């Protein structure tokens, strides 16, 4: 990559937020791909959820492992060991991904709350990748404090699968519409995929195969749009946190929400 | 000393020159060149063998396989091949055979029999099926419809799982308790203001509240445990649902393809059965196979470990081991290298990441597979020298099926699991060919041989030489010349070749059928003819080729003659000597043999009647030679030992012979030398003798007569022919005479002679110039005869011996004391 290309990258860094629960491998893969093409560095934040530490502090705390039916006593030592193992696994995965892509990378373990970490990471010139999962109320975070942040957010939903496909852009009238469009065009060009620009939010959701009776009657296969590889939308385009929650939870492809601090 | 004066009444005349060489009569050859002669479609002189071959080929019963034997170079292989090809043309083409995957027991591939031409079609259609599935199925599986159905299944099961947890979460929230995800599972904790309560704050709550919270958590844990317990079952259901979806999608795609093939092979139940198995296996395993293919692509990029040979879809390939679809008539297969695998087939392996791997596509056919339904021609010796090949051939013929087993499996040297291809029914006529010795040994030593090879076809190495056969032989030469694109032979060349064929047969009345040797002469004569820009091969070219062959091979002969010339090897060709005679031997160098004179000497002394064969004493004499010496000893005893015991000790030796001596062709010469030694009558050294002698003194035929005569002639010629030189041969050998032209010419001019002798007395007469005499009614030989002299001398030996024995007894008696000791 030439110096000129390097300087024209839309992000200074890509941040992927991982935790011990979801693992976040899908987010890591998406972030690595973006970092390789759009950002200069990959930062990985592994969150040791504060609430987990706090649970272990109760004297009667017990854990029901998913692979066992019998509960076991939970204490600080056990939790610390399990979190350390999860972090080590995540680090190994990051190393492998970074080696494949020749990425400059950094791995950091943070004890705190994932929503706050996300909000803090969403700075101007940053792309933050995260895996949506049950219990992780990204939509609330985005529509609350982090919603005003300048960074862009790449959310890989539970139904999202990484596959080649057109770049789906929701064209709204928000302040980041131009940035979103520029970024979508660049992604389409680099991935050699067509760019599909959709003005209606309902059509946009239909293309993402998101059933929502309030927006549009759900009709499987009603849209003629091929399954997208990625959806691009401005962060402020959402009528409500519920809509956003639906999108993040049910979209069949990763959704890139472009913030104001994205270089065009 | 008694003088011997009896001379023979009628001297034995030498053979006329015309009897030394039987010319080919040109009037028997009514053509100008062989170009005008039609081809000969069989080898002449092999009628008996051809009849046996025809019978064996037509006899379609078990065990009626053929063994064709005869001397090398008689055209056994070509004759059999031609005869069988001719017969096979009119027979139906053999069935085709293919190996396919066994979907029940993978290491036992299934053999499928197909009519001619259908094997290739099945192979092609199955290849197309795989190609279609490889490309179409991933597209179908990645397609909108399938993906949506798959997504729906995933969503359904995820929702069910999430709802179950959500229900617990809500129940917990209703009691002010949070459900928290931990790295390994779930845990409950009291909440305050939507957050996990600080444990220290919790500790300050009243005991009753704390106890209530703990009870609530225990109840919730039970609810959660019930949900978690359901997870494996839900996961199993999810996988099964996805598998069912995959099967449904695959069945539609695969079904049509398979149905098309089924329609094309509906008349072949075995193929239909196989296609049903393919359909079931594809529907069940196609996703796994596609996954393996993907893994293989990664493996080729060094990302994952090894997989099997070929593609993952190789299991649907058709390994057509027999059937090119273009066969006309039954197969006739000649296997030149009949190793065990070349005979019964083999399972090959591929080296992959350091491991040897195989599958049914690596099954290779053997000669038995290719010849199945037809004929297989094998060199018996080659089969016998290949480890386990003979055993495998017999086993296959006995069992009437081909079972592919490696040498390691046969000998139980390997215990690793390998393929066990289904045996294929065998219906083949095996034709072995080889030398007679192999046939007789097998007959004698292998009790199964007679049952498996009931038909013997023996090739002769000679054919009768008659005016009619000359023309047949000429056609044979014409055929050989045409097949090898040689120039045609003119009439004289044919005649000279026929004469040479008689010489090769060692018989003026026979012609050799060792066509390889004749072919060599033709090829070389063609070379000389072309070199001289000739348009036909002339007699001179034939002669030049024969001479050149001899010239190339006769270094040893030249050296032998040189040694005699320089008197390093002592051979007298003039004068006479007592107890010394020129014997004749033949040195065989494989493709070339020559005769050589050898001095044989005999010495006698007083003794116990024993003839010592010095060659045998030092183990240089073979058993037949020893037999000859014993026979002449018996002849001597019968002639002269009827009244007195033979009281002589005689010794016989081949002078300057340092190699072995075998054969009895020198026994007559040895007898003559012995008589000379006994009688002290000298033998003419200008003559040489060959012939064996029996107990009645009859001279019997020997082999190599031409070479022997020529060998002595060469020595004499180099020293100068005087007219006294000649060779004595058994009269029975006259029909074998095909002497060199220079020898014949010398005989014609009276410079060299060939004498026929029938009895020992004929030879003695020629060698000594005296009459041996015949036994009179008084039991004595007439006075003045050779035998009378021998009898007298032997009687004198007997008297001397008796006298010696008596004086020895007196001496012994005088030496004894009064007690006789």
């Amino acid at each position: 990559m030439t110096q000129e290309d390097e300087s024209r990258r839309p992000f200074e860094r890509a941040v992927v937020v991982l935790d011990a629960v979801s693992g976040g491998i899908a987010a890591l893969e998406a972030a690595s791909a973006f970092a390789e093409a759009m950002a200069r560095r990959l930062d990985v934040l592994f969150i040791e959820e504060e609430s987990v530490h706090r649970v272990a502090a109760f004297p009667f705390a017990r854990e029901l492992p998913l692979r066992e039916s019998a509960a076991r006593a939970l204490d600080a030592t056990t939790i610390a060991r399990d979190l350390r193992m999860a972090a080590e696994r995540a680090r190994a995965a990051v190393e492998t991904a970074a080696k494949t892509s020749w990425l400059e990378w950094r791995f950091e373990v943070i004890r705190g709350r994932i929503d706050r970490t996300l909000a803090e990471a969403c700075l101007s010139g940053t792309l933050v990748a995260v895996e949506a999962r049950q219990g992780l109320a990204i939509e609330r975070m985005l529509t609350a404090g982090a919603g005003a942040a300048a960074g862009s957010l790449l959310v890989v939903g539970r139904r999202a699968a990484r596959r080649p496909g057109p770049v789906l852009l929701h064209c709204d009238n928000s302040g980041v519409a131009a940035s979103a469009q520029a970024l979508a065009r660049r992604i389409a060009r680099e991935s050699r995929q067509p760019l599909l620009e959709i003005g209606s939010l309902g059509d946009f959701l239909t293309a993402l195969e998101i059933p929502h009776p309030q927006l549009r009657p759900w009709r499987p296969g009603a849209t003629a749009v091929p399954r997208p590889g990625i959806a691009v939308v401005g962060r402020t385009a959402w009528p409500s946190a519920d809509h956003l929650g639906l999108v993040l939870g049910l979209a069949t492809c990763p959704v890139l929400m472009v913030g104001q601090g994205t270089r065009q | 000393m008694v003088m011997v004066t009896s001379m023979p009444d009628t001297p034995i005349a030498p053979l006329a020159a015309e009897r030394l060489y039987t010319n080919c009569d040109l009037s028997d050859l009514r053509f100008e060149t062989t170009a005008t002669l039609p081809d000969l479609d069989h080898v002449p002189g092999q009628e008996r063998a051809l009849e046996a071959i025809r019978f064996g080929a037509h006899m379609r019963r078990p065990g009626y396989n053929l063994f064709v034997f005869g001397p090398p170079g008689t055209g056994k292989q070509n004759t059999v091949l031609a005869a069988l090809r001719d017969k096979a043309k009119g027979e139906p083409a053999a069935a085709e055979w293919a190996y396919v995957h066994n979907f029940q027991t993978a290491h036992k591939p299934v053999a499928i029999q197909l009519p001619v031409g259908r094997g290739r079609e099945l192979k092609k259609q199955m290849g197309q099926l795989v190609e279609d599935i490889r490309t179409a199925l991933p597209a179908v599986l990645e397609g909108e419809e399938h993906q949506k159905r798959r997504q729906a299944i995933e969503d359904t099961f995820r929702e069910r799982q999430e709802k179950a947890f959500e229900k617990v979460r809500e129940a917990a929230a209703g009691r002010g308790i949070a459900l928290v995800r931990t790295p390994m599972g779930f845990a409950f904790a009291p909440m305050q203001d939507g957050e996990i309560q600080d444990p220290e704050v919790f500790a300050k709550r009243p005991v009753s509240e704390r106890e209530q919270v703990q009870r609530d958590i225990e109840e919730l844990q039970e609810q959660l445990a019930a949900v978690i317990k359901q997870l494996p079952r839900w996961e199993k259901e999810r996988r099964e649902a996805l598998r069912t979806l995959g099967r449904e999608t695959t069945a539609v795609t695969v079904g049509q393809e398979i149905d098309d093939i089924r329609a094309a092979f509906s008349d072949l139940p075995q193929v239909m059965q196989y296609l049903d198995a393919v359909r079931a296996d594809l529907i069940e395993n196609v996703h796994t196979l596609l996954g393996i293919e993907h893994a293989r692509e990664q493996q080729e990029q060094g990302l994952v470990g090894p997989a099997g040979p070929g593609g993952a879809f190789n299991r649907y390939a058709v390994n057509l081991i027999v059937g090119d679809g273009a066969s006309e008539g039954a197969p006739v297969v000649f296997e030149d290298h009949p190793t065990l695998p070349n005979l019964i087939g083999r399972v090959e392996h591929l080296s992959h990441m350091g491991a040897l791997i195989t599958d049914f596509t690596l099954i290779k056919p053997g000669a038995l597979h290719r010849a199945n339904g037809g004929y297989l021609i094998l060199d018996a010796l080659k089969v016998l020298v290949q480890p386990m090949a003979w055993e495998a051939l017999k086993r296959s013929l006995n069992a009437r099926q081909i079972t592919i087993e490696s040498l390691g499996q046969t000998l139980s040297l390997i215990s690793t699991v390998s393929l066990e291809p289904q045996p294929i029914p065998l219906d083949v006529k095996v034709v072995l060919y080889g030398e007679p010795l192999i046939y007789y040994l097998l007959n004698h030593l292998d009790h199964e041989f007679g049952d498996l090879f009931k038909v013997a076809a023996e090739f002769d190495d000679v054919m009768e030489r008659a005016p009619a056969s000359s023309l047949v032989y000429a056609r044979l030469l014409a055929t050989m010349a045409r097949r090898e694109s040689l120039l045609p032979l003119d009439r004289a060349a044919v005649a000279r070749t026929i004469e040479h064929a008689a010489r090769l047969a060692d018989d003026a009345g026979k012609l050799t059928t060792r066509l390889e040797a004749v072919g060599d002469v033709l090829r070389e004569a063609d070379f000389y003819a072309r070199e001289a820009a000739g348009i036909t091969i002339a007699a001179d070219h034939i002669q030049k080729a024969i001479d050149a062959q001899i010239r190339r091979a006769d270094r040893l002969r030249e050296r032998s003659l040189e040694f005699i010339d320089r008197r390093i090897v002592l051979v007298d060709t003039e004068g006479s000597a007592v107890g010394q005679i020129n014997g004749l031997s033949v040195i065989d160098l494989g493709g070339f043999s020559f005769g050589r004179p050898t001095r044989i000497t005999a010495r006698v002394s007083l003794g116990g009647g024993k003839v010592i064969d010095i060659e045998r004493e030092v183990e240089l004499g073979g058993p037949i030679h020893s037999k000859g010496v014993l026979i002449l000893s018996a002849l001597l005893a019968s002639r002269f030992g009827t009244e007195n015991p033979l009281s002589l000790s005689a010794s016989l030796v081949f002078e300057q012979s340092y190699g072995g001596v075998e054969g009895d062709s020198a026994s007559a010469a040895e007898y003559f030398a012995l008589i000379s030694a006994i009688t002290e009558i000298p033998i003419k050294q200008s003559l040489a003798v060959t012939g064996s002698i029996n107990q009645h003194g009859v001279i019997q035929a020997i082999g190599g007569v031409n070479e022997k005569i020529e060998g002595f002639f060469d020595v004499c010629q180099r020293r100068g022919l005087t007219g006294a030189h000649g060779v004595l041969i058994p009269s029975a050998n006259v029909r074998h005479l095909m002497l060199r032209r220079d020898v014949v010419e010398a005989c014609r001019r009276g410079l060299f002679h060939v004498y026929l002798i029938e009895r020992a007395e004929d030879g003695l007469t020629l060698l000594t110039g005296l009459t041996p005499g015949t036994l009179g009614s008084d039991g004595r030989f007439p006075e003045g005869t050779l035998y009378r002299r021998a009898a007298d001398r032997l009687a004198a030996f007997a008297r001397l011996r008796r006298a010696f024995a008596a004086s020895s007894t007196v001496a012994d008696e005088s030496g004894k004391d009064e007690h006789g000791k």
Side-chain angles (χ1 to χ4, degrees):
Chain A
M1 186 174 283
T2 63
Q3 208 164 10
E4 189 182 357
D5 291 337
E6 188 73 13
S7 66
R8 290 185 61 195
R9 289 184 168 209
F11 305 109
E12 291 292 325
R13 63 174 190 153
V15 178
V16 58
V17 180
L18 308 178
D19 69 345
V21 174
S22 65
I25 296 303
L28 173 64
E29 287 176 356
S32 299
F34 260 88
E36 190 180 356
M38 308 272 173
R40 296 179 188 172
R41 198 179 76 202
L42 176 66
D43 288 346
V44 181
L45 305 178
F46 184 85
I47 313 299
E48 287 189 358
E49 190 62 49
E50 182 61 47
S51 59
V52 178
H53 283 286
R54 187 171 284 186
V55 168
F58 290 102
F60 51 82
R62 298 182 73 74
E63 184 184 39
L64 276 93
L66 272 173
R67 302 192 183 282
E68 299 167 31
S69 54
R72 63 174 186 172
L74 193 63
D75 56 26
T77 309
T78 306
I79 278 293
R81 185 197 61 209
D82 290 349
L83 288 169
R84 197 164 53 246
M85 284 170 60
E88 200 48 51
R89 280 196 299 272
R91 183 187 164 84
V94 170
E95 189 169 9
T96 303
K99 269 185 184 171
T100 307
S101 309
W102 295 90
L103 279 174
E104 183 190 345
W105 63 285
R106 201 176 61 145
F107 187 87
E108 188 179 358
V109 179
I110 297 169
R111 181 166 171 170
R113 284 175 54 159
I114 194 163
D115 50 352
R116 286 182 190 158
T117 307
L118 273 175
E120 287 164 11
C122 266
L123 302 173
S124 178
T126 304
L127 169 80
V128 180
V130 68
E131 202 167 305
R133 59 172 170 81
Q134 198 175 22
L136 179 62
I138 298 171
E139 63 278 10
R140 308 242 174 261
M141 174 195 77
L142 290 175
T143 49
S152 296
L153 194 65
L154 178 68
V155 183
V156 184
R158 297 193 299 274
R159 300 174 71 206
R162 282 193 70 217
R163 60 171 173 268
V167 178
L168 190 67
L169 171 66
H170 176 228
C171 304
D172 60 10
N173 296 320
S174 68
V176 295
S179 296
Q181 191 175 45
L183 192 55
R185 282 179 180 167
R186 178 165 180 166
I187 294 168
R189 190 173 63 246
E190 294 201 354
S191 61
R192 297 181 181 180
Q193 293 289 343
L195 175 65
L196 303 175
E197 299 185 21
I198 296 179
S200 156
L201 186 58
D203 289 344
F204 181 72
L205 294 177
T206 302
L208 289 176
E209 299 174 42
I210 296 168
H212 194 279
Q214 293 174 5
L215 291 171
R216 186 172 184 147
W218 172 243
R219 289 181 292 120
T223 175
V225 176
R227 286 195 148 195
I230 189 168
V232 181
V233 62
R235 280 183 58 171
T236 55
W238 306 101
S240 71
D242 286 342
H243 289 128
L244 187 54
L246 271 173
V247 171
L248 300 184
L250 299 177
T252 53
C253 65
V255 179
L256 175 60
M257 290 182 290
V258 181
Q260 291 170 341
T262 303
R263 189 183 298 164
Q264 287 186 36
Chain B
M1 180 175 284
V2 178
M3 292 301 290
V4 177
T5 56
S6 178
M7 301 298 286
D9 297 334
T10 50
I12 298 170
L15 268 179
E18 291 70 30
R19 297 187 66 187
L20 302 178
Y21 188 89
T22 306
N23 285 301
C24 178
D25 191 348
L26 286 176
S27 64
D28 295 335
L29 307 174
R30 294 172 188 170
F31 57 87
E32 288 303 315
T33 72
T34 55
T36 60
L37 294 178
D39 272 348
L40 196 64
D41 57 1
H42 66 280
V43 179
Q46 309 295 5
E47 286 73 19
R48 186 200 309 265
L50 286 170
E51 193 180 318
I53 292 168
R54 271 194 293 275
F55 168 74
H58 282 84
M59 187 70 177
R60 302 304 293 190
R61 298 273 182 185
Y64 280 85
N65 297 295
L66 285 107
F67 197 107
V68 179
F69 63 97
T74 48
K76 297 182 292 294
Q77 181 193 328
N78 289 337
T79 304
V80 168
L81 204 55
L84 294 181
R85 278 186 178 149
D86 190 44
K87 180 175 184 305
K89 269 184 203 166
E91 295 179 343
E96 299 182 347
W97 285 93
Y99 271 110
V100 294
H101 183 65
N102 184 336
F103 296 103
Q104 274 73 47
T105 316
H107 73 284
K108 293 184 176 177
V110 176
I112 292 182
Q113 186 178 15
L114 298 128
V116 178
R118 305 288 292 280
R120 201 155 53 167
E121 186 59 26
L122 179 64
K123 182 184 171 86
K124 185 181 165 191
Q125 293 214 22
M126 287 304 292
Q128 192 60 51
L129 169 77
V130 167
E131 272 310 301
D132 290 349
I133 287 173
R134 255 201 195 118
T135 51
L137 201 60
V140 171
L141 295 175
E142 287 294 319
E144 294 282 336
E145 188 59 33
H146 179 78
Q147 284 298 322
K148 280 177 181 167
R149 291 179 67 187
R150 185 183 172 89
Q151 188 74 59
I153 292 170
E154 297 277 15
D155 287 350
T156 303
F157 282 93
R158 188 170 48 244
E159 277 174 25
R160 178 202 273 186
Q161 194 171 313
E162 286 178 357
K163 275 180 184 169
F165 283 113
E166 193 57 36
K167 197 174 170 186
V168 177
R169 189 187 306 277
E170 284 172 3
R175 299 187 192 192
I177 294 169
L179 176 63
V180 180
R181 277 298 306 267
T182 63
M184 305 296 286
F186 291 92
F188 291 100
M191 284 197 301
Q192 187 179 23
D193 300 330
E195 301 282 342
I196 306 290
Q197 191 171 34
D198 189 328
E200 290 180 7
V201 175
F202 179 78
K204 290 174 184 169
R205 287 169 66 174
V207 175
S208 59
E209 283 185 24
R210 295 206 306 265
E211 287 176 350
Q212 182 59 44
V213 167
Q214 283 189 44
R215 279 196 296 277
D216 288 345
I217 286 177
E218 282 169 10
E219 280 179 31
L220 290 165
Q221 280 174 346
E222 284 176 15
Q223 288 180 33
L224 183 63
V227 172
I228 289 174
K229 201 174 175 181
Q230 301 263 54
L231 292 181
R233 185 166 61 81
W234 292 344
E235 177 59 21
K236 190 178 172 187
E237 287 174 9
R238 185 187 71 88
R239 283 201 304 267
E240 188 52 44
L242 289 174
R243 197 174 292 129
T244 304
L245 173 66
R247 276 198 288 262
E248 286 170 9
T249 308
T250 307
V252 173
T253 310
V254 167
Q256 187 57 47
E257 302 272 359
I258 295 272
D259 286 344
D260 290 346
I261 305 177
R262 278 175 62 88
F265 291 91
S266 58
D267 57 326
L268 301 175
Q270 207 184 0
V271 177
M272 296 291 276
Q273 197 178 346
Y274 166 66
L275 291 173
D276 288 344
V278 169
R279 183 205 301 267
D281 189 77
L282 265 173
I283 290 171
E284 193 61 33
N285 297 311
V286 71
H287 297 87
T288 311
L289 297 176
L290 287 170
I292 290 172
E293 289 237 318
H294 177 66
R296 179 179 297 280
E297 285 166 13
Q298 287 187 312
Q299 177 204 339
E300 282 161 8
Q301 295 163 18
L303 300 178
V304 297
F313 284 91
N314 249 17
R315 62 204 272 130
Y316 307 116
V318 172
N319 180 9
L320 188 63
I321 60 165
V322 180
D324 53 12
S327 304
E328 284 182 14
V332 178
V333 175
F334 167 66
E335 176 55 62
D336 188 44
H337 187 44
T339 59
L340 176 70
N342 284 355
L343 213 50
I344 62 165
R346 63 190 179 277
V347 178
E348 294 188 336
H349 292 75
L350 288 176
S351 177
H352 193 85
M353 309 283 282
L356 289 177
I357 51 178
T358 187
D359 66 18
F360 73 97
T361 61
L362 296 178
I363 297 172
K364 304 294 177 190
L368 282 172
H369 291 99
R370 296 195 304 276
N372 202 0
Y375 305 89
L376 174 60
I377 303 168
L378 298 167
D379 183 332
L381 182 61
K382 288 181 180 175
V383 175
L384 290 168
V385 298
Q386 290 296 336
M388 303 308 292
W390 175 241
E391 288 303 317
L393 178 64
K394 284 194 299 178
R395 193 166 53 245
S396 301
L397 290 174
N398 273 322
R400 302 178 71 185
Q401 63 179 24
I402 315 166
T403 304
I404 299 177
E405 263 189 353
S406 70
L407 198 57
Q409 287 172 305
T410 305
L411 299 175
S412 301
L413 294 177
I414 53 171
S415 58
T416 48
V417 175
S418 186
L419 292 186
E420 293 175 28
Q422 183 183 7
I424 288 178
L426 177 65
D427 174 23
V428 70
K429 181 76 69 181
V430 175
V431 180
L432 291 179
Y433 69 89
E435 294 191 24
L437 178 65
I438 296 172
Y439 175 78
Y440 296 126
L441 282 174
L442 283 171
N443 237 333
H444 183 62
L445 299 172
D446 190 333
H447 69 277
E448 288 179 304
F449 177 74
D451 294 335
L452 291 173
F453 292 87
K454 293 180 191 288
V455 183
E458 184 171 9
F459 273 63
D460 205 343
D461 61 348
V462 292
M463 59 181 279
E464 286 301 322
R465 184 183 178 190
S469 61
S470 290
L471 192 57
V472 173
Y473 212 83
R475 282 179 61 194
L476 176 68
L477 298 178
T479 309
M480 290 169 73
R482 260 194 294 275
R483 281 188 187 159
E484 300 202 27
S485 303
L486 306 178
L487 293 173
L489 288 79
D490 67 20
R491 201 154 54 128
V494 171
R496 180 66 191 97
T497 310
I498 289 175
E499 290 162 7
H500 182 60
R503 171 64 188 256
L504 290 176
D506 261 339
D507 194 327
K510 305 274 185 187
L511 296 172
T512 187
T513 53
R514 296 190 179 202
L515 301 181
E516 192 55 39
V518 177
D520 286 345
V521 170
L522 294 189
R523 282 184 282 272
E524 291 163 29
D526 175 80
F527 171 79
Y528 292 120
R530 289 180 193 274
E531 203 174 48
I535 55 170
T536 57
I537 298 173
D540 287 350
H541 301 133
I542 298 289
Q543 188 59 48
K544 194 171 180 182
I546 294 168
D547 292 344
Q549 282 185 347
I550 294 170
R551 169 74 185 151
R552 288 198 298 270
D554 77 344
R555 187 187 66 82
L556 271 181
R557 184 181 69 159
E558 280 294 325
R559 182 64 59 88
S560 171
L561 288 170
E562 182 190 330
F563 280 5
I564 292 171
D565 287 349
R566 295 170 64 192
R567 305 203 60 79
I568 296 169
V569 173
L570 299 178
V571 173
D572 286 345
T573 54
E574 59 186 20
S576 57
V578 170
Q580 176 179 308
I581 193 167
N582 290 321
L584 294 167
S585 57
V586 173
I587 311 295
D588 193 346
L589 302 176
F592 174 67
S593 57
F594 64 92
R596 186 182 71 166
T598 301
R599 175 179 288 179
I600 300 170
T601 59
R603 301 288 287 173
V604 293
S605 59
L606 195 62
K610 188 179 179 187
V611 177
I612 298 170
D613 175 10
I614 290 178
E615 304 299 325
R616 193 179 86 171
E617 295 298 317
V618 297
E619 297 182 351
L620 281 174
I624 297 173
H625 178 257
S626 299
K627 180 186 171 188
V629 172
L630 291 172
I631 287 171
L632 74 88
S633 302
L635 172 62
L636 199 63
S638 69
R639 283 264 194 279
F640 307 109
T642 53
E643 292 186 355
N644 290 306
L646 283 179
S647 300
L648 88 166
S649 174
S651 59
L652 288 166
V653 66
F654 276 60
E655 301 289 356
Q656 294 181 289
S657 164
Y658 307 107
V661 175
E662 181 53 316
D664 62 355
S665 68
S667 60
E670 288 167 326
Y671 177 75
F672 299 148
L674 203 52
I675 293 293
S676 169
I678 292 169
T679 60
E680 295 182 317
I681 299 293
I683 287 174
K684 293 175 188 171
Q685 300 299 302
S686 57
L687 298 174
V689 179
T690 182
S692 76
I693 193 166
N694 69 12
Q695 290 194 102
H696 299 288
V698 176
I699 306 298
Q700 303 165 138
I702 44 81
V705 67
N706 293 304
E707 287 83 356
K708 286 173 177 174
I709 294 170
E710 289 164 1
F712 191 65
F713 173 84
D714 287 337
V715 172
C716 296
Q717 190 186 40
R718 291 163 81 109
R719 288 178 178 174
L721 295 171
T722 62
H725 295 122
V727 176
L728 283 60
I729 64 167
S731 60
N733 279 117
V734 68
R735 69 197 61 175
H736 301 136
L737 291 176
M738 285 298 290
L739 288 167
R740 263 182 5 224
R741 294 199 164 183
D742 54 343
V743 181
V744 174
E745 187 55 32
C747 290
R748 181 172 289 117
R749 293 167 57 196
L751 296 173
F752 194 77
H753 309 289
V754 176
Y755 298 97
L756 298 182
I757 53 174
E758 287 189 13
R759 298 190 56 81
E761 288 71 29
D762 298 339
L764 284 170
T765 302
L766 285 165
L767 291 165
T768 62
L770 299 176
T771 302
T774 52
L775 203 60
S777 55
D778 57 351
R780 296 167 70 82
F781 289 102
E783 282 288 342
T785 62
L786 200 60
Y787 280 168
R788 177 59 178 267
R789 168 128 189 189
D792 291 346
R793 182 98 192 274
L794 289 170
F797 277 176
R799 284 193 300 276
L800 281 171
R801 192 168 177 223
R802 277 198 295 272
F804 179 75
S807 64
S808 298
T809 307
V810 171
D812 288 347
E813 289 294 325
S814 63
K816 290 177 184 172
D817 58 19
E818 66 270 24
H819 303 293
K821 295 180 180 176

